[in-house]
Amino acid sequence: DTAVSQTPKYLVTQMGNDKSIKCEQNLGHDTMYWYKQDSKKFLKIMFSYNNKELIINETVPNRFSPKSPDKAHLNLHINSLELGDSAVYFCASSQGTRYNEQFFGPGTRLTVL
Amino acid sequence: AQRVTQPEKLLSVFKGAPVELKCNYSYSGSPELFWYVQYSRQRLQLLLRHISRESIKGFTADLNKGETSFHLKKPFAQEEDSAMYYCALSENNTDKLIFGTGTRLQVFP
């Protein structure tokens, strides 16, 4: 009965490769997010989608492309991976008002070699 | 620009001691503030939110608009409180969360 799930949990890849991270929520929420946590544990929003529509795009390189096939899924595709992309990526969902709790996935640790 | 500042990267206390994790914010609108916590090997989760004015696991936080602060307090720390704590601000016209840099709380026995 996991609320927000992400796959894979760990991802190790070479520079220049393309990879995807998947996120699914079963909470019936209409808003989903991607956050990046760097090596210093700083969490920063990357994207948010509301009902499959892009709402927030935080000056992220266009090598990062989110895709939301339906409101329960928000995938993150990364092209031409760079060393600086190494981080933990968290997916989250909420019912979409600023007062509501965001529910986070377990995170995907991406290591680019 | 909107900003959330947590000045302490690490806070170490002994069990039973009072704890205060500091959070200051910079925001031009009416702030909505949250504390999120990440226990070891667990996902990030909400601890408490300003709008609910609640006490969770003995923690409270009061919004002080004059000092633009939302410090998290607990009178008697427990070992199970050891975790990473993030203060976060929700913007007025989006539901984007702006996080502070986090404070690691260590409670020693």
Side-chain angles (χ1 to χ4, degrees):
Chain A
D1 61 342
T2 305
V4 183
S5 59
Q6 292 177 230
T7 53
K9 199 168 180 182
Y10 300 96
L11 189 50
V12 181
T13 188
Q14 300 284 338
M15 263 196 319
N17 284 350
D18 304 339
K19 290 292 177 188
S20 291
I21 307 171
K22 295 187 176 181
C23 178
E24 177 181 0
Q25 55 97 2
N26 62 8
L27 297 165
H29 289 160
D30 52 14
T31 306
M32 295 184 73
Y33 314 81
W34 278 108
Y35 289 87
K36 179 180 179 181
Q37 186 180 48
D38 63 21
S39 58
K40 296 182 180 178
K41 301 288 190 185
F42 182 51
L43 260 172
K44 191 171 188 322
I45 188 156
M46 300 173 69
F47 301 102
S48 95
Y49 267 72
N50 181 282
N51 278 317
K52 303 194 297 174
E53 195 176 319
L54 180 66
I55 302 297
I56 295 171
N57 183 341
E58 283 288 303
T59 59
V60 177
N62 57 16
R63 297 184 295 105
F64 290 78
S65 52
K67 284 189 172 48
S68 182
D70 55 61
K71 75 173 196 176
H73 296 85
L74 180 61
N75 303 324
L76 184 64
H77 189 76
I78 316 170
N79 288 330
S80 304
L81 277 154
E82 299 177 358
L83 293 176
D85 297 333
S86 296
V88 181
Y89 292 85
F90 288 97
C91 178
S93 74
S94 77
Q95 199 41 43
T97 77
R98 64 187 296 232
Y99 307 104
N100 284 345
E101 175 180 0
Q102 291 189 16
F103 291 80
F104 283 79
T108 296
R109 183 176 292 279
L110 171 65
T111 303
V112 182
L113 303 173
Chain B
Q2 301 89 307
R3 185 181 296 176
V4 177
T5 305
Q6 293 179 249
E8 302 135 332
K9 280 190 178 174
L10 175 65
L11 186 61
S12 299
V13 300
F14 285 101
K15 177 182 167 182
V19 165
E20 183 180 50
L21 287 83
K22 291 187 166 49
C23 172
N24 287 90
Y25 66 90
S26 166
Y27 184 59
S28 54
S30 180
E32 285 304 323
L33 288 147
F34 303 80
W35 278 98
Y36 279 80
V37 60
Q38 190 172 27
Y39 299 102
S40 178
R41 302 185 200 284
Q42 293 187 31
R43 60 188 68 196
L44 194 65
Q45 57 188 285
L46 179 70
L47 179 63
L48 55 79
R49 68 192 99 181
H50 150 244
I51 196 171
S52 304
R53 301 185 185 280
E54 56 208 343
S55 172
I56 303 291
K57 299 185 179 182
F59 284 98
T60 58
D62 290 319
L63 178 62
N64 185 325
K65 289 188 179 179
E67 294 182 359
T68 59
S69 68
F70 189 57
H71 303 327
L72 183 68
K73 299 177 186 178
K74 184 168 181 176
F76 308 103
Q78 303 298 314
E79 287 177 71
E80 55 266 29
D81 297 329
S82 296
M84 192 77 178
Y85 290 80
Y86 291 94
C87 183
L89 178 150
S90 178
E91 288 192 326
N92 197 22
N93 55 355
T94 73
D95 42 17
K96 177 170 90 169
L97 277 179
I98 300 168
F99 282 92
T101 46
T103 298
R104 179 168 297 284
L105 174 64
Q106 287 182 330
V107 182
F108 295 110

Coordinates of all heavy atoms in Angstrom, one line a residue, chain A residues 5-86:
Chain A
S5 N 5.7 5.7 -5.0 CA 6.8 4.8 -5.2 C 7.7 5.3 -6.4 O 7.1 6.0 -7.3 CB 6.3 3.4 -5.5 OG 5.4 3.4 -6.6
Q6 N 8.9 5.0 -6.3 CA 9.9 5.4 -7.4 C 10.7 4.2 -7.8 O 11.1 3.3 -6.9 CB 10.9 6.4 -6.9 CG 10.3 7.8 -6.5 CD 11.3 8.7 -6.0 OE1 11.1 9.3 -4.9 NE2 12.5 8.9 -6.6
T7 N 11.0 4.1 -9.0 CA 11.9 3.1 -9.5 C 12.9 3.7 -10.5 O 12.5 4.5 -11.4 CB 11.2 1.9 -10.2 OG1 10.3 2.4 -11.2 CG2 10.4 1.1 -9.1
P8 N 14.2 3.3 -10.5 CA 14.8 2.4 -9.5 C 15.2 3.1 -8.3 O 15.1 4.3 -8.2 CB 16.0 1.9 -10.3 CG 16.4 3.1 -11.1 CD 15.1 3.7 -11.5
K9 N 15.6 2.4 -7.3 CA 16.1 3.0 -6.0 C 17.5 3.5 -6.2 O 17.9 4.6 -5.6 CB 16.0 2.0 -4.9 CG 16.0 2.6 -3.5 CD 15.7 1.6 -2.5 CE 15.7 2.2 -1.1 NZ 15.4 1.3 0.0
Y10 N 18.3 2.8 -7.0 CA 19.7 3.2 -7.2 C 19.9 3.1 -8.7 O 19.4 2.2 -9.4 CB 20.7 2.3 -6.5 CG 20.6 2.2 -5.0 CD1 19.8 1.2 -4.4 CD2 21.2 3.2 -4.3 CE1 19.7 1.2 -3.0 CE2 21.1 3.2 -2.9 CZ 20.3 2.2 -2.3 OH 20.2 2.2 -0.9
L11 N 20.7 4.1 -9.2 CA 21.0 4.1 -10.7 C 22.4 4.5 -10.8 O 22.8 5.7 -10.4 CB 20.0 5.1 -11.3 CG 19.9 5.2 -12.8 CD1 19.8 3.8 -13.5 CD2 18.8 6.1 -13.2
V12 N 23.2 3.7 -11.4 CA 24.7 4.0 -11.6 C 24.9 3.9 -13.1 O 24.5 2.9 -13.7 CB 25.6 3.1 -10.9 CG1 27.1 3.4 -11.1 CG2 25.3 3.0 -9.4
T13 N 25.4 5.0 -13.7 CA 25.5 5.1 -15.1 C 26.7 5.9 -15.5 O 27.3 6.6 -14.7 CB 24.2 5.6 -15.7 OG1 24.3 5.5 -17.2 CG2 24.0 7.1 -15.4
Q14 N 27.1 5.8 -16.8 CA 28.2 6.6 -17.3 C 27.7 7.9 -17.9 O 26.6 8.1 -18.3 CB 28.8 5.8 -18.5 CG 29.3 4.4 -18.1 CD 30.6 4.5 -17.4 OE1 31.4 5.5 -17.5 NE2 30.9 3.4 -16.6
M15 N 28.7 8.9 -17.8 CA 28.4 10.2 -18.5 C 28.0 10.0 -19.9 O 28.5 9.1 -20.6 CB 29.7 11.0 -18.5 CG 29.9 11.9 -17.3 SD 31.1 13.2 -17.6 CE 32.5 12.3 -18.3
G16 N 27.0 10.8 -20.3 CA 26.6 10.8 -21.7 C 25.4 9.9 -21.9 O 24.7 10.0 -23.0
N17 N 25.1 9.0 -21.0 CA 24.0 8.1 -21.2 C 22.6 8.8 -20.9 O 22.6 9.9 -20.4 CB 24.1 6.9 -20.2 CG 25.1 5.9 -20.7 OD1 25.6 6.0 -21.8 ND2 25.4 5.0 -19.8
D18 N 21.6 8.2 -21.4 CA 20.2 8.7 -21.1 C 19.5 7.7 -20.1 O 19.6 6.5 -20.3 CB 19.4 8.7 -22.4 CG 20.0 9.6 -23.5 OD1 20.9 10.4 -23.1 OD2 19.7 9.3 -24.7
K19 N 18.8 8.2 -19.1 CA 18.2 7.4 -18.2 C 16.8 7.9 -17.8 O 16.6 9.2 -17.9 CB 19.0 7.2 -16.9 CG 20.3 6.4 -17.1 CD 20.0 4.9 -17.4 CE 21.2 4.1 -17.6 NZ 20.9 2.8 -18.1
S20 N 16.0 7.1 -17.3 CA 14.7 7.5 -16.8 C 14.4 7.0 -15.4 O 14.9 5.9 -15.0 CB 13.6 6.9 -17.7 OG 13.6 7.5 -18.9
I21 N 13.7 7.8 -14.6 CA 13.2 7.4 -13.3 C 11.7 7.5 -13.3 O 11.1 8.5 -13.8 CB 13.8 8.4 -12.2 CG1 15.3 8.5 -12.3 CG2 13.4 7.9 -10.8 CD1 15.9 9.6 -11.4
K22 N 11.1 6.5 -12.7 CA 9.6 6.5 -12.7 C 9.0 6.7 -11.4 O 9.6 6.4 -10.4 CB 9.1 5.1 -13.2 CG 9.5 4.8 -14.7 CD 8.9 3.5 -15.2 CE 9.3 3.3 -16.6 NZ 8.7 2.1 -17.2
C23 N 7.9 7.4 -11.4 CA 7.2 7.7 -10.1 C 5.7 7.4 -10.3 O 5.1 7.8 -11.3 CB 7.4 9.1 -9.7 SG 6.5 9.6 -8.2
E24 N 5.1 6.8 -9.3 CA 3.7 6.5 -9.3 C 3.1 6.8 -7.9 O 3.8 6.5 -6.9 CB 3.5 5.0 -9.6 CG 2.0 4.6 -9.5 CD 1.8 3.2 -9.9 OE1 2.8 2.4 -10.1 OE2 0.6 2.7 -9.9
Q25 N 2.0 7.4 -7.9 CA 1.3 7.6 -6.6 C -0.1 7.0 -6.7 O -0.8 7.1 -7.7 CB 1.3 9.1 -6.2 CG 0.7 10.1 -7.2 CD -0.8 10.4 -7.0 OE1 -1.4 10.0 -6.0 NE2 -1.3 11.2 -7.9
N26 N -0.5 6.4 -5.5 CA -1.9 5.8 -5.5 C -2.8 6.6 -4.5 O -3.7 6.0 -3.9 CB -1.8 4.3 -5.1 CG -1.1 4.1 -3.8 OD1 -0.9 5.0 -3.0 ND2 -0.9 2.8 -3.5
L27 N -2.5 7.8 -4.3 CA -3.2 8.6 -3.3 C -4.4 9.4 -3.9 O -5.1 10.1 -3.2 CB -2.3 9.6 -2.6 CG -1.2 8.9 -1.8 CD1 -0.1 9.9 -1.4 CD2 -1.8 8.3 -0.5
G28 N -4.5 9.3 -5.3 CA -5.5 10.1 -5.9 C -5.2 11.6 -6.0 O -6.1 12.4 -6.3
H29 N -4.0 12.0 -5.8 CA -3.6 13.4 -5.8 C -3.5 13.9 -7.2 O -3.3 13.1 -8.2 CB -2.2 13.6 -5.1 CG -2.3 13.4 -3.7 ND1 -1.1 13.2 -2.9 CD2 -3.3 13.4 -2.8 CE1 -1.4 13.1 -1.6 NE2 -2.7 13.2 -1.5
D30 N -3.7 15.2 -7.4 CA -3.7 15.8 -8.7 C -2.4 16.5 -9.0 O -2.2 16.9 -10.2 CB -4.9 16.7 -9.0 CG -5.1 17.8 -7.9 OD1 -4.1 18.0 -7.1 OD2 -6.1 18.4 -7.8
T31 N -1.5 16.6 -8.1 CA -0.3 17.3 -8.3 C 0.9 16.4 -7.9 O 0.9 15.8 -6.9 CB -0.2 18.6 -7.5 OG1 -1.4 19.4 -7.8 CG2 1.0 19.4 -7.9
M32 N 1.9 16.4 -8.8 CA 3.1 15.6 -8.6 C 4.3 16.5 -8.8 O 4.3 17.5 -9.6 CB 3.2 14.4 -9.5 CG 2.0 13.4 -9.1 SD 2.1 11.9 -10.1 CE 3.5 11.0 -9.3
Y33 N 5.4 16.2 -8.2 CA 6.6 17.0 -8.2 C 7.9 16.1 -8.3 O 7.9 14.9 -7.9 CB 6.8 17.7 -6.8 CG 5.6 18.4 -6.3 CD1 4.6 17.6 -5.6 CD2 5.4 19.8 -6.4 CE1 3.5 18.2 -5.1 CE2 4.2 20.4 -5.9 CZ 3.3 19.6 -5.3 OH 2.2 20.2 -4.7
W34 N 8.9 16.7 -8.8 CA 10.3 16.2 -8.7 C 11.2 17.2 -8.0 O 11.2 18.4 -8.3 CB 10.9 15.9 -10.1 CG 10.4 14.6 -10.7 CD1 9.6 14.4 -11.8 CD2 10.8 13.3 -10.3 NE1 9.4 13.1 -12.0 CE2 10.2 12.4 -11.1 CE3 11.7 12.8 -9.3 CZ2 10.3 11.0 -11.0 CZ3 11.8 11.5 -9.2 CH2 11.1 10.6 -10.0
Y35 N 11.9 16.6 -7.0 CA 12.9 17.4 -6.3 C 14.3 16.8 -6.5 O 14.4 15.6 -6.6 CB 12.6 17.4 -4.8 CG 11.4 18.2 -4.4 CD1 10.1 17.6 -4.4 CD2 11.5 19.5 -4.0 CE1 9.0 18.4 -4.0 CE2 10.4 20.3 -3.6 CZ 9.2 19.7 -3.6 OH 8.1 20.4 -3.2
K36 N 15.3 17.6 -6.4 CA 16.7 17.1 -6.4 C 17.3 17.4 -5.1 O 17.2 18.6 -4.6 CB 17.5 17.8 -7.5 CG 18.9 17.4 -7.7 CD 19.6 18.1 -8.8 CE 21.1 17.7 -8.9 NZ 21.8 18.4 -10.0
Q37 N 18.0 16.4 -4.5 CA 18.7 16.6 -3.2 C 20.2 16.4 -3.5 O 20.6 15.3 -3.9 CB 18.3 15.7 -2.2 CG 18.9 15.9 -0.8 CD 18.4 14.9 0.3 OE1 18.4 13.7 0.0 NE2 18.0 15.4 1.4
D38 N 21.0 17.5 -3.3 CA 22.4 17.4 -3.7 C 23.2 16.7 -2.5 O 22.6 16.3 -1.5 CB 23.0 18.7 -4.1 CG 22.9 19.7 -2.9 OD1 22.9 19.3 -1.8 OD2 23.0 20.9 -3.2
S39 N 24.5 16.7 -2.7 CA 25.4 16.0 -1.7 C 25.4 16.7 -0.4 O 25.7 16.1 0.6 CB 26.8 15.9 -2.3 OG 27.3 17.2 -2.5
K40 N 25.0 17.9 -0.3 CA 24.9 18.7 0.9 C 23.5 18.6 1.5 O 23.2 19.3 2.5 CB 25.3 20.1 0.8 CG 26.8 20.3 0.3 CD 27.2 21.7 0.2 CE 28.6 21.8 -0.2 NZ 29.1 23.2 -0.4
K41 N 22.7 17.7 1.0 CA 21.3 17.5 1.5 C 20.4 18.6 1.2 O 19.3 18.7 1.8 CB 21.3 17.2 3.0 CG 22.1 16.0 3.4 CD 21.5 14.7 3.0 CE 22.2 13.5 3.6 NZ 21.6 12.3 3.1
F42 N 20.8 19.5 0.3 CA 19.9 20.6 -0.1 C 18.8 20.1 -1.1 O 19.1 19.5 -2.1 CB 20.7 21.8 -0.7 CG 19.9 23.0 -1.0 CD1 19.0 23.5 -0.1 CD2 20.0 23.5 -2.3 CE1 18.3 24.7 -0.5 CE2 19.2 24.6 -2.6 CZ 18.3 25.2 -1.7
L43 N 17.5 20.4 -0.7 CA 16.4 19.9 -1.5 C 15.9 21.1 -2.4 O 15.5 22.1 -1.8 CB 15.3 19.5 -0.6 CG 15.1 18.0 -0.3 CD1 14.0 17.9 0.7 CD2 14.7 17.3 -1.6
K44 N 15.8 20.9 -3.7 CA 15.3 21.9 -4.5 C 14.2 21.4 -5.5 O 14.5 20.3 -6.1 CB 16.4 22.6 -5.3 CG 16.1 23.9 -6.0 CD 17.3 24.5 -6.5 CE 17.1 25.9 -7.1 NZ 16.0 26.2 -7.8
I45 N 13.1 22.1 -5.7 CA 12.1 21.6 -6.6 C 12.7 21.8 -8.1 O 13.4 22.7 -8.4 CB 10.8 22.4 -6.5 CG1 9.7 21.7 -7.3 CG2 11.0 23.9 -6.8 CD1 8.4 22.0 -6.9
M46 N 12.3 20.8 -8.9 CA 12.6 20.9 -10.3 C 11.4 21.1 -11.1 O 11.3 22.0 -12.0 CB 13.2 19.5 -10.7 CG 14.5 19.1 -10.0 SD 15.0 17.5 -10.4 CE 15.6 17.7 -12.1
F47 N 10.4 20.3 -10.9 CA 9.1 20.4 -11.7 C 7.9 20.1 -10.9 O 8.0 19.4 -9.9 CB 9.1 19.3 -12.9 CG 10.3 19.4 -13.8 CD1 11.3 18.5 -13.7 CD2 10.3 20.3 -14.8 CE1 12.4 18.5 -14.6 CE2 11.3 20.4 -15.7 CZ 12.4 19.5 -15.6
S48 N 6.8 20.6 -11.3 CA 5.5 20.1 -10.8 C 4.5 20.0 -11.9 O 4.5 20.8 -12.9 CB 5.0 20.9 -9.6 OG 4.1 21.9 -10.0
Y49 N 3.7 19.0 -11.8 CA 2.6 18.8 -12.8 C 1.3 18.7 -12.0 O 1.2 18.1 -10.9 CB 2.8 17.4 -13.5 CG 3.5 17.5 -14.7 CD1 4.9 17.7 -14.7 CD2 2.9 17.3 -16.0 CE1 5.6 17.8 -15.9 CE2 3.6 17.4 -17.2 CZ 5.0 17.6 -17.1 OH 5.7 17.7 -18.3
N50 N 0.3 19.3 -12.6 CA -1.1 19.3 -12.1 C -2.0 18.7 -13.2 O -2.1 19.3 -14.2 CB -1.6 20.6 -11.6 CG -3.0 20.6 -11.0 OD1 -4.0 20.5 -11.7 ND2 -3.0 20.6 -9.7
N51 N -2.6 17.5 -12.9 CA -3.4 16.9 -13.9 C -2.8 16.8 -15.2 O -3.4 17.2 -16.2 CB -4.8 17.6 -14.0 CG -5.7 17.2 -12.9 OD1 -5.8 16.0 -12.6 ND2 -6.4 18.1 -12.3
K52 N -1.6 16.3 -15.2 CA -0.8 16.0 -16.4 C -0.3 17.3 -17.1 O 0.3 17.3 -18.2 CB -1.5 15.2 -17.5 CG -2.1 13.9 -17.0 CD -2.5 13.0 -18.1 CE -3.7 13.6 -18.8 NZ -4.1 12.7 -20.0
E53 N -0.5 18.5 -16.5 CA 0.0 19.7 -17.1 C 1.2 20.3 -16.3 O 1.1 20.4 -15.1 CB -1.2 20.7 -17.1 CG -1.0 21.9 -18.0 CD -2.2 22.8 -18.0 OE1 -3.4 22.2 -18.0 OE2 -2.1 24.0 -17.9
L54 N 2.2 20.7 -17.0 CA 3.4 21.3 -16.4 C 3.0 22.6 -15.7 O 2.5 23.5 -16.4 CB 4.5 21.5 -17.4 CG 5.8 22.1 -16.9 CD1 6.5 21.1 -15.9 CD2 6.7 22.4 -18.0
I55 N 3.3 22.7 -14.4 CA 3.0 24.0 -13.7 C 4.3 24.7 -13.3 O 4.3 25.9 -13.4 CB 2.2 23.6 -12.4 CG1 0.9 22.9 -12.7 CG2 1.9 24.9 -11.6 CD1 -0.1 23.7 -13.6
I56 N 5.3 24.0 -12.8 CA 6.5 24.6 -12.4 C 7.7 24.0 -13.2 O 7.8 22.8 -13.3 CB 6.7 24.4 -10.9 CG1 5.7 25.1 -10.1 CG2 8.1 24.9 -10.5 CD1 5.7 24.7 -8.6
N57 N 8.5 24.8 -13.7 CA 9.8 24.3 -14.3 C 10.9 25.3 -13.8 O 10.9 26.4 -14.2 CB 9.6 24.4 -15.8 CG 10.9 23.9 -16.5 OD1 12.0 23.8 -15.9 ND2 10.7 23.5 -17.8
E58 N 11.7 24.8 -12.9 CA 12.6 25.6 -12.2 C 14.0 25.7 -12.8 O 14.9 25.0 -12.4 CB 12.7 25.2 -10.7 CG 11.6 25.5 -9.8 CD 11.6 27.0 -9.5 OE1 12.5 27.5 -8.9 OE2 10.5 27.6 -9.8
T59 N 14.1 26.4 -13.8 CA 15.4 26.6 -14.5 C 16.3 25.4 -14.5 O 17.4 25.4 -14.1 CB 16.2 27.8 -13.8 OG1 16.4 27.5 -12.5 CG2 15.5 29.1 -14.0
V60 N 15.6 24.3 -14.9 CA 16.3 23.0 -15.0 C 16.8 22.9 -16.4 O 16.1 23.3 -17.4 CB 15.4 21.9 -14.6 CG1 16.0 20.5 -14.8 CG2 14.9 22.1 -13.2
P61 N 18.1 22.4 -16.7 CA 18.5 22.2 -18.0 C 17.5 21.4 -18.8 O 16.9 20.5 -18.3 CB 19.8 21.4 -17.8 CG 20.3 21.7 -16.5 CD 19.1 21.9 -15.7
N62 N 17.4 21.7 -20.1 CA 16.4 20.9 -20.9 C 16.8 19.5 -21.2 O 16.1 18.8 -22.0 CB 16.0 21.7 -22.2 CG 17.2 22.1 -23.0 OD1 18.3 21.5 -22.9 ND2 17.0 23.0 -23.9
R63 N 18.0 19.1 -20.7 CA 18.3 17.6 -20.7 C 17.3 16.9 -19.8 O 17.2 15.6 -20.0 CB 19.7 17.4 -20.2 CG 20.8 18.1 -21.1 CD 22.2 17.7 -20.6 NE 22.4 18.2 -19.2 CZ 22.4 17.5 -18.1 NH1 22.2 16.2 -18.2 NH2 22.7 18.1 -17.0
F64 N 16.7 17.6 -18.9 CA 15.7 16.9 -18.0 C 14.3 17.1 -18.6 O 13.9 18.3 -18.8 CB 15.8 17.6 -16.6 CG 17.0 17.2 -15.9 CD1 18.2 17.9 -16.1 CD2 17.0 16.3 -14.9 CE1 19.3 17.6 -15.4 CE2 18.1 16.0 -14.1 CZ 19.3 16.7 -14.4
S65 N 13.6 16.0 -18.8 CA 12.3 16.2 -19.4 C 11.3 15.3 -18.6 O 11.4 14.1 -18.6 CB 12.2 15.8 -20.9 OG 12.8 14.6 -21.1
P66 N 10.4 15.9 -17.9 CA 9.4 15.2 -17.2 C 8.3 14.8 -18.1 O 8.0 15.5 -19.1 CB 8.9 16.2 -16.2 CG 9.1 17.5 -16.8 CD 10.3 17.4 -17.7
K67 N 7.6 13.6 -17.8 CA 6.5 13.2 -18.6 C 5.4 12.6 -17.7 O 5.7 11.8 -16.9 CB 7.0 12.1 -19.6 CG 7.7 12.7 -20.8 CD 8.0 11.7 -21.9 CE 8.6 12.3 -23.2 NZ 9.7 13.2 -22.9
S68 N 4.2 13.1 -17.9 CA 3.1 12.6 -17.1 C 2.1 12.0 -18.0 O 1.2 12.7 -18.5 CB 2.5 13.8 -16.3 OG 1.5 13.4 -15.4
P69 N 2.1 10.6 -18.1 CA 1.1 10.0 -19.0 C -0.3 10.0 -18.4 O -1.3 10.0 -19.1 CB 1.6 8.5 -19.0 CG 2.5 8.4 -17.8 CD 3.1 9.7 -17.5
D70 N -0.4 10.1 -17.1 CA -1.7 10.3 -16.4 C -1.4 10.9 -15.0 O -0.2 11.0 -14.6 CB -2.5 9.0 -16.3 CG -1.6 7.9 -15.6 OD1 -1.3 8.1 -14.4 OD2 -1.3 6.9 -16.2
K71 N -2.4 11.3 -14.3 CA -2.2 12.0 -13.1 C -1.6 11.2 -12.0 O -1.1 11.8 -11.0 CB -3.4 12.8 -12.6 CG -4.5 12.0 -12.0 CD -5.5 13.0 -11.4 CE -6.4 12.3 -10.4 NZ -7.4 13.3 -9.8
A72 N -1.5 9.9 -12.1 CA -0.9 9.1 -11.1 C 0.6 8.8 -11.4 O 1.3 8.2 -10.5 CB -1.6 7.7 -11.0
H73 N 1.1 9.2 -12.5 CA 2.5 9.0 -12.9 C 3.2 10.2 -13.3 O 2.6 11.0 -14.1 CB 2.6 7.9 -14.0 CG 2.0 6.6 -13.7 ND1 0.7 6.3 -13.7 CD2 2.6 5.5 -13.2 CE1 0.5 5.0 -13.3 NE2 1.7 4.5 -13.0
L74 N 4.4 10.4 -12.9 CA 5.3 11.4 -13.4 C 6.7 10.9 -13.5 O 7.4 10.6 -12.5 CB 5.3 12.6 -12.4 CG 6.1 13.8 -12.8 CD1 5.7 14.4 -14.2 CD2 6.1 14.9 -11.8
N75 N 7.1 10.7 -14.7 CA 8.5 10.2 -14.9 C 9.5 11.3 -15.3 O 9.1 12.3 -15.7 CB 8.4 9.1 -16.1 CG 7.4 8.0 -15.8 OD1 7.2 7.6 -14.7 ND2 6.6 7.6 -16.8
L76 N 10.7 11.0 -15.0 CA 11.8 12.0 -15.3 C 12.8 11.3 -16.2 O 13.4 10.3 -15.9 CB 12.4 12.4 -14.0 CG 13.5 13.5 -14.1 CD1 12.9 14.8 -14.5 CD2 14.2 13.7 -12.7
H77 N 13.0 11.9 -17.4 CA 13.9 11.4 -18.3 C 15.1 12.4 -18.4 O 14.9 13.6 -18.4 CB 13.3 11.2 -19.7 CG 14.2 10.5 -20.7 ND1 14.4 9.2 -20.6 CD2 15.0 11.0 -21.7 CE1 15.3 8.8 -21.5 NE2 15.7 9.9 -22.2
I78 N 16.3 11.8 -18.3 CA 17.5 12.7 -18.3 C 18.4 12.3 -19.5 O 18.8 11.1 -19.6 CB 18.3 12.6 -17.0 CG1 17.4 12.6 -15.8 CG2 19.3 13.8 -17.0 CD1 18.1 12.3 -14.5
N79 N 18.7 13.2 -20.4 CA 19.5 13.0 -21.5 C 21.0 13.4 -21.2 O 21.2 14.3 -20.4 CB 19.1 13.8 -22.8 CG 17.8 13.2 -23.3 OD1 17.5 12.0 -23.3 ND2 17.0 14.1 -23.9
S80 N 21.9 12.7 -21.9 CA 23.3 13.2 -21.8 C 23.8 13.5 -20.4 O 24.2 14.6 -20.1 CB 23.5 14.4 -22.7 OG 23.1 14.2 -24.0
L81 N 23.7 12.5 -19.6 CA 24.0 12.7 -18.2 C 25.4 13.2 -17.9 O 26.3 12.9 -18.6 CB 23.8 11.3 -17.4 CG 22.4 11.0 -17.1 CD1 22.1 9.5 -16.9 CD2 22.0 11.7 -15.8
E82 N 25.4 14.1 -17.0 CA 26.7 14.8 -16.6 C 27.0 14.4 -15.1 O 26.1 14.0 -14.3 CB 26.6 16.3 -16.7 CG 26.3 16.7 -18.1 CD 26.1 18.2 -18.2 OE1 26.2 18.9 -17.2 OE2 25.9 18.7 -19.4
L83 N 28.3 14.6 -14.7 CA 28.7 14.3 -13.4 C 27.9 15.0 -12.3 O 27.5 14.5 -11.3 CB 30.2 14.6 -13.2 CG 31.2 13.8 -13.9 CD1 32.6 14.3 -13.7 CD2 31.1 12.3 -13.6
G84 N 27.6 16.3 -12.7 CA 26.8 17.1 -11.7 C 25.4 16.7 -11.5 O 24.7 17.2 -10.7
D85 N 24.9 15.7 -12.3 CA 23.5 15.2 -12.1 C 23.5 14.2 -11.0 O 22.4 13.9 -10.6 CB 23.1 14.6 -13.4 CG 23.0 15.6 -14.6 OD1 22.8 16.8 -14.4 OD2 23.1 15.1 -15.8
S86 N 24.6 13.8 -10.5 CA 24.6 12.8 -9.4 C 23.9 13.5 -8.2 O 24.3 14.6 -7.7 CB 26.0 12.5 -9.0 OG 26.7 11.8 -10.1

